[in-house]
Amino acid sequence: KHVSKTNKPIMKKRLVFICTLVLASIIVACTGNSSQDGSVRVLDIEKGIDNIEYVNLSKYASEINYIPLETSLDCMMSSDENVSIRKMGDMFYFYSPFGAPAFSFNKEGKFKGMIGVNGRAAHEFTRYIRSFTVNGERNELAICDMSGKLLIYDSNGTFTRSAQIGGEVQEMSDYKVFHATDDEYFFLRESLNNDIPDVGTDKKYAEQHLVTVNSKGEISNEKLWGHVYGITTPKANRSGVTSSLLKSALLETDKKFTIISNTDTIYSYNPLSKDAVAEYVIDFGKYALGG
């Protein structure tokens, strides 16, 4: 990792440790349950939290290798908790949502250059990088900025083309773009249709559409996935409650795509067939928060 020398706050370390224990216990708790028809497994969060156990890393990994990254004034990055990583071939790409371009390092940790320029021109990203993805099939890199502009670069970081893949700026509030296959990319897009809900409401705040586009910005598939809701959650403050937004999210692990739905169901998504299949149902039990 590329980490500053300042110490992390003790409370943060404790929080990370607790979260690790909870996630580990959830993995253990989820191995035996299935839904009534046997096709969709149930993730029992209450059971996991109430029966915390340690899970040894050796169960999943046999070796850990560390790559020390070059540290110089040319490649200083944000603190590690704000940096995300992508990999293509023997290259690693680091980016953060704080106005800096993406940084590229080879497998020996040597800094190779930056990808992207902050600005308002057609070849520049606006304000900051919202998402960064790699296209191994074409040896291309893609940046999506806060305005929904997709910028494509070759493997050397040279800009090649750009396209507008989103609508208004406010529609691109918080989503990740993923490479599907060949020249296709997909993402969950929010289309705002209401003001932010007041505390205590559960009205629909926005629609979420699952969209597939090419690098020219041409839409090949778009369908309504669901809605974003405003919900009430307990909070330790004077009012005792706060309003949160409940939305679905896209994740990727080694080209396996997962949709964490706000309906307590986890889906696997196939970008080729455009099909989503339910894999897990989440049961929060007594730990469920309002809505």
Side-chain angles (χ1 to χ4, degrees), residues 3 28 147 152 191 193 222 262:
V3 186
V28 173
S147 68
I152 306 296
S191 300
N193 51 22
E222 179 175 1
N262 61 1

Side-chain angles (χ1 to χ4, degrees), residues 227-259:
H227 293 85
V228 179
Y229 292 90
I231 65 169
T232 302
T233 56
K235 187 176 182 180
N237 57 20
R238 291 182 179 179
S239 65
V241 295
T242 185
S243 183
S244 300
L245 296 178
L246 188 65
K247 63 178 70 176
S248 300
L250 263 170
L251 302 174
E252 175 189 1
T253 303
D254 296 331
K255 302 305 290 184
K256 172 181 170 57
F257 302 102
T258 302
I259 301 177

Side-chain angles (χ1 to χ4, degrees), residues 55-235:
V55 176
N56 294 326
L57 181 60
S58 59
K59 181 178 179 180
Y60 301 100
S62 59
E63 183 180 15
I64 299 176
N65 295 320
Y66 294 90
I67 301 175
L69 301 182
E70 176 184 335
T71 302
S72 68
L73 293 178
D74 293 330
C75 54
M76 296 301 293
M77 292 186 287
S78 178
S79 54
D80 59 299
E81 67 265 29
N82 296 314
V83 174
S84 297
I85 305 172
R86 295 289 181 268
K87 183 179 183 295
M88 185 171 71
D90 291 335
M91 297 295 294
F92 294 89
Y93 303 93
F94 298 79
Y95 71 99
S96 67
F98 292 103
F103 297 83
S104 62
F105 295 82
N106 64 16
K107 62 181 180 179
E108 285 77 34
K110 182 175 177 56
F111 176 61
K112 303 301 292 183
M114 299 182 183
I115 297 93
V117 179
N118 190 340
R120 295 185 176 274
H123 66 285
E124 298 172 334
F125 63 86
T126 304
R127 291 184 61 185
Y128 51 83
I129 297 174
R130 178 62 72 186
S131 184
F132 183 95
T133 189
V134 298
N135 183 340
E137 296 183 33
R138 295 195 172 202
N139 288 319
E140 292 182 333
L141 313 169
I143 286 175
C144 185
D145 69 5
M146 65 162 295
S147 68
K149 181 166 58 177
L150 188 71
L151 301 107
I152 306 296
Y153 306 82
D154 63 22
S155 58
N156 295 318
T158 302
F159 172 80
T160 59
R161 60 196 184 279
S162 66
Q164 189 71 28
I165 64 171
E168 301 296 331
V169 172
Q170 64 265 28
E171 291 184 325
M172 319 305 294
S173 58
D174 187 21
Y175 73 88
K176 299 293 183 182
V177 173
F178 299 90
H179 168 242
T181 181
D182 192 34
D183 191 38
E184 284 194 328
Y185 300 84
F186 65 97
F187 52 91
L188 278 172
R189 183 176 68 199
E190 296 176 24
S191 300
L192 307 186
N193 51 22
N194 283 302
D195 295 330
I196 295 176
D198 296 328
V199 171
T201 65
D202 59 357
K203 68 180 181 180
K204 295 177 182 178
Y205 166 63
E207 293 179 345
Q208 285 189 292
H209 293 258
L210 193 54
V211 182
T212 302
V213 300
N214 61 22
S215 61
K216 296 180 181 179
E218 300 167 338
I219 296 176
S220 60
N221 188 67
E222 179 175 1
K223 60 183 178 182
L224 176 64
W225 174 259
H227 293 85
V228 179
Y229 292 90
I231 65 169
T232 302
T233 56
K235 187 176 182 180

